Amino acid sequence: MLPFVAEAQLSNTPKTPMIYPETKKENVKDTYFGTTVTDPYRWLEDDRSEETKLWVEAQNAVTKEYLAKIPYRNDIKERLKKLLNYEKYSQPFKEGGYTYYYKNTGLQNQSVLYRQKEGGEPEVFLDPNTFSKDATSSLAGVNFSKDGSMVAYQVSDGGSDWTKVIVLKASDKSVVGETLTDVKFSGIAWQGNNGFYYSSYDKPAEGSQLSGLTQYHKLFFHQLGTAQKEDQLIFGGDKTPRRYIGAGLTEDERYLIISAANSTSGNELYLKDLKAKDGAIVPVVANFDKNHNIIDNIGTKLFIYTNLNAPNGRVVTVDAANPGVENWKELIKETENVLSPSTGGGKLFANYIKDAVSMVLQYDMNGKMEHEIKLPGIGTAGGFGSKKEDKELYYTFTSYVYPSTIFKYAIANGKSEVYKKSGVDFDPSNYESKQVFYPSKDGTKVPMIITYKKGIVLNGKNPTVLYGYGGFNVSLTPAFSTANIVLMEQGGVYAVANLRGGGEYGEKWHLAGTKLQKQNVFDDFIAAGEFLIASKYTSKDYLASMGGSNGGLLVGATMVQRPDLFKVAFPAVGVMDMLRYHKFTAGAGWNYDYGTAEDSKEMFEYLYKYSPVHALKPGVKYPATLITTADHDDRVVPAHSFKFAAALQRDQAGDAPVLISIQTNAGHGAGKPTDKAIEEIADRWAFLFYNMGVNYKK
């Protein structure tokens, strides 16, 4: 039976019972280690079927009608437009006599790439707003040849991870050669001006290009003027099957660097001397145990970042003639803080995370510390990279109460000056951020930063959003969000917890939230909510959970485990079916963090217990939930969210709504047009205030 559209009923209170589109059930079963698991909504995994299309349309109709009847949704949307309508700039970078930078005049759907010669007028170089009629095609990457005369840029259509590559002469922007297609998870590494390295997968053998399994990456060299079908396979394929392969060249273009991995953590490292006649690809590290990257070279001396024997990271050197681990010499030692190094102006910049905030030190290439960069406050600094001959570089600084600001940094004396201030209408002096350390279930101290407008009363009635991620070694460091102004203007609180599974305290912190320890992540998040309630920032009637991708899994798992703790839940583009996630696109690469249901009986039972789709129980009052996904999300396929929405609508016992918003011509998040972003944020805040019974004040 095909789904039908039922009118969403909405009154002046959020307690009116909902009527949802019908979602048919099928008798689909799988057996894992003797346990039978039903999967009644598997038909929703077929993103090409007419049935799925009709279901999506029916769900969107109910969601749009519900949201449209919230009386202040348009007020929130107009406020967002006003807040976002200011000029936004990226850090500038220099290529071939030009300074390039991205600029958005305010409400442009896509930022425009400009260039400018010293003393000259800015000119538009690439305008992604012209790539498609609805501005859903975006610029996914721009790479120049060393002298800046050639450029290859990638275009993503509808937010997909699949891109096409177009090559231009930078001087007159004339197109060179054919457009490359079916490129995915790839940088562009130029070798001279005649060709470049890039990575891609074969098209999926089964399923659609947006959901089919992509198994093995391949590294190619494309010679300009030749057809893509003639491109030379450099690494990967049948002889060396790897799930992820990336390539880069040292700045002097002497060495080709190849990184290969089968999961999101741990990589092999290979090197090829391009000046040597018939130079072979030689291994530097021939296993996947740790993470490594060549960050620079001086002649044959290589500078390598690694976390081998250093969970928080260090920098070592080695001669390219004998690059094996046994020959590495330590240059910058591991510290108690997590290291992310970069290079510029012939210097090394050690960007450390200290309790989830930035500390940056400048070293010479012999490992001598020269300066600590004086940052304007406690927050996140990034972008310390430039060419070797540069005398200055640019970096950004931001925090939850400090709008992103670009600084110019003089490498010789370590002095910073403001280059571009943010134009957002926001007075930081009216707001404050406070870092706390709260105990998780097992006693582990977890940091959290809580941000709000000064003067709020801690009476348990402040609408509060708890945000988290907790996975894949990702560190959540402070960053300003214009969207959050709307929440805080209404007396709201924004809290970000630095959960285990992330990278805030290095490899140990990451591993403590993976596989059979994944429950630690959920416990950390639940404990954060309990802390906020105990500290009177909020209460169960005013607490919302929010997260995307792996953070969507976090929201889904914790609202199922503790439905009483949250009033509202926002799982975005989440990984919701933990038994089948690895069967779609590049999902199999996530097994380092999650494990798979086929690994062992123990791993299956662990995943099955917390998998949001499977852990739901009928007759439970779950929070008001707004699930968000997109039809072109080929990172976390929308079937995860479809199946979770269907199961949650089926099992919801309370009056709280369970809605799903499925954006069309949109993907996992990158390149999303401004108008779509505004709609999504307005929906979120309207849904939050309405279901908390908060009266939005203009």
Side-chain angles (χ1 to χ4, degrees), residues 676-692:
K676 284 182 179 286
I678 289 173
E679 291 282 347
E680 188 174 284
I681 297 164
D683 289 346
R684 180 203 309 155
W685 295 142
F687 187 84
L688 175 114
F689 294 138
Y690 191 75
N691 282 280
M692 290 182 177

Side-chain angles (χ1 to χ4, degrees), residues 302-322:
L302 306 176
F303 295 77
I304 301 174
Y305 163 80
T306 181
N307 66 351
L308 176 64
N309 301 321
N312 291 341
R314 60 180 176 145
V315 176
V316 299
T317 61
V318 71
D319 191 274
N322 296 287

Side-chain angles (χ1 to χ4, degrees), residues 346-382:
K347 306 292 181 181
L348 279 164
F349 292 89
N351 196 334
Y352 291 100
I353 298 177
K354 182 178 174 64
D355 290 332
V357 298
S358 292
M359 176 181 72
V360 187
L361 305 178
Q362 177 180 315
Y363 289 84
D364 69 15
M365 300 306 285
N366 294 314
K368 178 185 176 183
M369 205 272 276
E370 295 180 332
H371 306 292
E372 177 176 350
I373 286 78
K374 293 181 180 179
L375 302 176
I378 295 173
T380 303

Side-chain angles (χ1 to χ4, degrees), residues 375-564:
L375 302 176
I378 295 173
T380 303
F384 292 89
S386 70
K387 294 180 171 62
K388 285 186 179 179
E389 68 269 18
D390 289 343
K391 305 299 182 185
E392 59 193 22
L393 56 75
Y394 299 87
Y395 68 90
T396 60
F397 181 83
T398 182
S399 78
Y400 295 117
V401 293
Y402 193 104
S404 186
T405 301
I406 303 171
F407 289 84
K408 181 189 286 188
Y409 178 77
I411 296 169
N413 61 20
K415 302 292 185 183
S416 298
E417 62 180 75
V418 173
Y419 177 75
K420 286 282 186 189
K421 276 189 174 182
S422 171
V424 65
D425 180 18
F426 177 80
D427 184 354
S429 66
N430 292 330
Y431 297 83
E432 61 181 307
S433 273
K434 176 183 178 182
Q435 187 175 51
V436 299
F437 293 84
Y438 65 89
S440 188
K441 184 178 181 179
D442 62 359
T444 299
K445 292 291 185 180
V446 180
M448 175 166 58
I449 297 181
I450 308 168
T451 307
Y452 46 87
K453 195 170 185 178
K454 290 178 180 177
I456 66 166
V457 180
L458 300 184
N459 60 4
K461 294 184 179 180
N462 303 302
T464 298
V465 171
L466 174 60
Y467 183 87
Y469 188 79
F472 297 96
N473 204 35
V474 171
S475 300
L476 294 185
T477 59
F480 186 79
S481 168
T482 305
N484 289 340
I485 297 175
V486 173
L487 172 68
M488 294 189 296
E489 283 178 337
Q490 302 298 314
V493 175
Y494 185 71
V496 178
N498 298 106
L499 316 171
R500 281 175 283 186
E504 291 87 350
Y505 293 104
E507 186 181 29
K508 291 179 181 178
W509 193 253
H510 172 213
L511 292 176
T514 61
K515 292 183 178 173
L516 295 172
Q517 298 192 89
K518 186 66 176 176
Q519 184 60 40
N520 285 336
V521 184
F522 310 141
D523 289 342
D524 290 355
F525 196 65
I526 289 167
E530 291 173 334
F531 176 89
L532 292 167
I533 291 169
S535 303
K536 301 294 186 182
Y537 285 100
T538 191
S539 62
K540 293 179 181 180
D541 288 332
Y542 296 96
L543 178 61
S545 59
M546 186 166 72
S549 196
N550 175 72
L553 163 62
L554 170 72
V555 173
T558 53
M559 66 177 277
V560 171
Q561 292 181 14
R562 286 293 306 276
D564 62 305

Side-chain angles (χ1 to χ4, degrees), residues 210-382:
L210 292 174
S211 63
L213 189 66
T214 46
Q215 275 288 70
Y216 299 119
H217 230 179
K218 295 179 179 180
L219 178 67
F220 294 97
F221 182 77
H222 177 69
Q223 185 78 32
L224 294 189
T226 65
Q228 185 178 5
K229 63 183 179 182
E230 298 172 10
D231 289 350
Q232 180 186 0
L233 178 65
I234 303 298
F235 192 90
D238 295 336
K239 292 183 179 179
T240 50
R242 303 290 185 266
R243 191 162 281 116
Y244 307 111
I245 299 172
L249 268 67
T250 52
E251 192 173 329
D252 61 5
E253 297 195 348
R254 173 160 183 182
Y255 297 104
L256 171 67
I257 304 157
I258 301 172
S259 173
N262 281 330
S263 66
T264 52
S265 188
N267 69 290
E268 299 170 320
L269 193 61
Y270 296 89
L271 188 70
K272 180 178 181 179
D273 188 345
L274 298 175
K275 288 188 176 179
K277 192 172 184 180
D278 300 323
I281 296 174
V282 298
V284 180
V285 180
N287 61 67
F288 305 106
D289 295 343
K290 301 294 178 181
N291 299 306
H292 327 272
N293 184 34
I294 296 174
I295 58 174
D296 205 351
N297 74 304
I298 298 176
T300 63
K301 184 179 182 180
L302 306 176
F303 295 77
I304 301 174
Y305 163 80
T306 181
N307 66 351
L308 176 64
N309 301 321
N312 291 341
R314 60 180 176 145
V315 176
V316 299
T317 61
V318 71
D319 191 274
N322 296 287
V325 171
E326 66 277 7
N327 299 316
W328 289 3
K329 296 179 181 178
E330 194 162 70
L331 185 73
I332 299 179
K333 293 183 178 181
E334 179 192 27
T335 72
E336 62 182 4
N337 303 312
V338 178
L339 171 64
S340 296
S342 58
T343 61
K347 306 292 181 181
L348 279 164
F349 292 89
N351 196 334
Y352 291 100
I353 298 177
K354 182 178 174 64
D355 290 332
V357 298
S358 292
M359 176 181 72
V360 187
L361 305 178
Q362 177 180 315
Y363 289 84
D364 69 15
M365 300 306 285
N366 294 314
K368 178 185 176 183
M369 205 272 276
E370 295 180 332
H371 306 292
E372 177 176 350
I373 286 78
K374 293 181 180 179
L375 302 176
I378 295 173
T380 303

